[in-house]
């Protein structure tokens, strides 16, 4: 292995370089796949809210695609301008569906409950989650 004072031969260095480039490529591809999917889900939910539910762009404060570790791994968090203290969670896998809402500390302190929610979609039975 030690030849003429070289620690690593050119062949070993080349193999190590190729291996590191492969690892880098795999991680880059995975990252890009996640980002593209999050963006696609954001677009689906935004389109659903505007085209099917009649919201205007000014009614929606934010739409953020999220990649999580639980199943399903992709979901979208929507915050509406008229309810900045509630985060609505949507799935956009096979169609768009509101699945739950999250009340922030501000909402809890203000005693906001399910009947007070303006953008709650009662056709889907969703669960309440509280941010701790």
């Amino acid at each position: 292995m030690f030849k003429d004072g070289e620690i690593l031969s050119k062949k070993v260095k080349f193999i190590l370089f190729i291996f590191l480039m492969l690892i880098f490529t795999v991680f880059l591809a995975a990252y890009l796949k996640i980002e593209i999917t999050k963006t696609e889900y954001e677009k689906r939910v935004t389109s659903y809210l505007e085209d099917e539910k009649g919201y205007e762009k000014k009614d929606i404060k934010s739409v953020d695609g999220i990649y999580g570790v639980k199943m399903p791994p992709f979901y979208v968090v929507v915050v509406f301008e008229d309810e900045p203290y509630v985060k609505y969670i949507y799935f956009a896998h096979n169609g768009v569906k509101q699945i739950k809402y999250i009340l922030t500390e501000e909402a809890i302190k203000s005693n906001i409950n399910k009947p007070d929610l303006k953008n709650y979609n009662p056709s889907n039975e969703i669960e309440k989650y509280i941010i701790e």
Side-chain angles (χ1 to χ4, degrees), residues 6 12 28 46 48 63 86-87 96 110:
E6 284 187 43
V12 172
L28 180 62
T46 301
Y48 168 79
V63 178
V86 181
K87 296 179 180 184
V96 177
S110 301

Side-chain angles (χ1 to χ4, degrees), residues 2 5 14 32 42 63 84 86 97 102 106 118:
F2 297 103
F14 180 73
L32 290 175
E42 288 174 7
V63 178
V86 181
K97 184 177 181 182
I102 300 170
E106 179 185 344
K118 299 171 189 167

Side-chain angles (χ1 to χ4, degrees), residues 22-110:
L22 252 162
I23 290 174
F24 174 76
T25 303
V26 168
F27 279 109
L28 180 62
Y31 173 78
L32 290 175
K33 170 78 169 131
I34 289 169
E35 290 303 312
I36 290 168
T37 304
K38 286 175 16 180
T39 301
E40 177 62 30
Y41 282 26
E42 288 174 7
K43 288 178 184 178
R44 286 182 194 174
V45 170
T46 301
S47 177
Y48 168 79
L49 292 172
E50 292 175 357
D51 299 341
E52 293 185 35
K53 292 297 184 180
Y55 288 97
E56 294 181 21
K57 287 185 184 199
K58 64 180 177 125
D59 298 330
I60 303 168
K61 185 173 184 176
S62 66
V63 178
D64 296 312
I66 305 293
Y67 174 73
V69 293
K70 296 181 181 179
M71 292 301 287
F74 294 98
Y75 57 95
V76 178
V77 177
V78 177
V79 177
F80 294 95
E81 286 290 344
D82 61 351
E83 287 184 309
Y85 44 80
V86 181
K87 296 179 180 184
Y88 291 93
I89 310 300
Y90 288 82
F91 283 160
H93 303 284
N94 297 323
V96 177
K97 184 177 181 182
Q98 186 184 75
I99 59 149
K100 59 184 163 185
Y101 61 92
I102 300 170
L103 297 176
T104 62
E105 288 294 327
E106 179 185 344
I108 295 166
K109 289 177 184 174
S110 301

